[in-house]
């Protein structure tokens, strides 16, 4: 990831460079994985936290392009489940500080989640993980040009959410302990994302 708070940008960028037969293989695995669970949805009448995109005035820690064939609802549903288990329930054990995770929505669609990092009962940092408002183009199939390089072919479908972003949502400078916790969380998120791309599940 970019910036001083997180490491591993090359790992996240590598996730987006799956091409050719690998891309088709991963797409099949993700379609199979999407059928295994029911997406997290807001309960009827529940107050939901709505995203205001773009998140202007905040610090962008990192962003990575999400391949257009990825089902956004399934991907974010799984990342949220991972965050609820690993950060909300096990933040102190896994990342060094307690955390609170809250899902965020764009209209009625789960679009990300916010994280509070807590130290000695006080909030030390606010983070946000979400898709952006840009549009990706999803083509019908992957072909090859005359030089053998992959090309996107067929009709193009517009897919909202071109990039997955990580934001720092408050202007407060963090101490070294908080910085280490944020870095550990980001690295854990990268590992979960790698599992999702490889196996169709963040828990594989």
């Amino acid at each position: 990831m970019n910036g001083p708070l997180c490491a591993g940008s090359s790992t996240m960028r590598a996730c987006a460079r799956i091409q050719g037969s690998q891309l088709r293989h991963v797409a099949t695995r993700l379609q199979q994985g999407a059928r295994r669970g029911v997406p997290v949805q807001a309960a009827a009448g529940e107050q939901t936290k709505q995203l205001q995109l773009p998140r202007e005035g905040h610090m962008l820690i990192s962003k990575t392009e999400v391949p257009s064939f990825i089902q956004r609802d399934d991907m974010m549903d799984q990342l949220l489940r991972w965050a609820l288990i690993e950060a909300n329930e096990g933040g102190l054990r896994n990342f060094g500080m307690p955390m609170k995770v809250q899902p965020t929505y764009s209209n009625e669609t789960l679009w990300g989640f916010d994280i509070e990092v807590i130290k000695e009962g006080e909030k030390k940092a606010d983070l946000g993980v979400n898709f952006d408002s840009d549009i990706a183009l999803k083509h019908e199939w992957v072909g090859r040009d005359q030089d053998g390089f992959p090309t996107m072919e067929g009709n193009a479908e517009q897919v909202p959410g071109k990039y997955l972003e990580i934001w720092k949502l408050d202007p407060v400078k963090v101490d070294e302990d908080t910085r280490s916790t944020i870095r550990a969380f980001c690295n854990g998120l990268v590992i979960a994302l790698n599992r999702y791309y490889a196996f169709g599940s963040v828990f594989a």
Side-chain angles (χ1 to χ4, degrees):
M1 296 183 180
N2 303 328
L5 293 177
C6 292
S9 60
S10 59
T11 304
M12 291 192 73
R13 287 195 297 269
C15 292
R17 290 200 293 266
I18 302 170
Q19 296 179 340
S21 61
Q22 284 181 293
L23 186 149
R24 289 189 291 271
H25 171 71
V26 172
T28 301
R29 295 295 296 271
L30 291 174
Q31 289 167 358
Q32 294 170 347
R35 292 192 288 267
R36 289 197 292 267
V38 177
V40 172
Q41 296 179 343
E46 179 184 351
Q47 292 292 325
T48 58
K49 187 173 184 179
Q50 295 293 317
L51 277 172
Q52 298 294 324
L53 297 174
R55 282 184 146 169
E56 296 177 347
H58 301 299
M59 174 184 170
L60 178 63
I61 297 176
S62 178
K63 63 187 293 186
T64 183
E65 186 171 355
V66 180
S68 58
F69 68 83
I70 296 291
Q71 299 180 52
R72 268 54 176 174
D73 56 349
D74 180 65
M75 176 178 174
M76 188 54 70
D77 174 72
Q78 291 205 32
L79 290 177
L80 173 60
R81 291 176 187 273
W82 172 86
L84 288 171
I85 293 171
E86 299 297 320
N88 196 76
E89 296 180 9
L92 179 61
R93 178 181 66 253
N94 295 322
F95 308 122
M97 289 186 184
M99 297 179 171
K100 292 183 180 179
V101 175
Q102 181 179 13
T104 53
Y105 294 82
S106 177
N107 297 320
E108 298 302 319
T109 302
L110 176 65
W111 211 241
F113 50 90
D114 289 350
I115 308 101
E116 291 184 9
V117 181
I118 302 167
K119 181 180 181 181
E120 297 176 351
E122 296 184 4
K123 182 172 66 175
K124 292 298 182 180
D126 280 321
L127 306 176
V129 177
N130 58 265
F131 295 121
D132 69 353
S133 57
D134 288 350
I135 299 296
L137 294 179
K138 178 182 177 182
H139 291 79
E140 290 182 296
W141 64 83
V142 179
R144 292 191 179 277
D145 63 17
Q146 59 184 4
D147 297 319
F149 292 101
T151 59
M152 299 300 176
E153 299 179 356
N155 295 328
E157 172 189 349
Q158 291 190 343
V159 179
K162 185 174 183 179
Y163 292 93
L164 180 68
E165 302 176 328
I166 303 177
W167 293 84
K168 187 173 184 295
L169 302 177
D170 63 87
V172 179
K173 186 176 181 179
V174 299
D175 59 26
E176 189 55 40
D177 288 343
T178 305
R179 184 183 301 272
S180 295
T181 292
I182 294 174
R183 186 179 296 115
F185 171 81
C186 291
N187 288 338
L189 182 64
V190 168
I191 293 172
L193 192 60
N194 282 341
R195 288 172 177 163
Y196 185 79
Y197 281 139
F199 306 111
S201 171
V202 299
F203 302 108

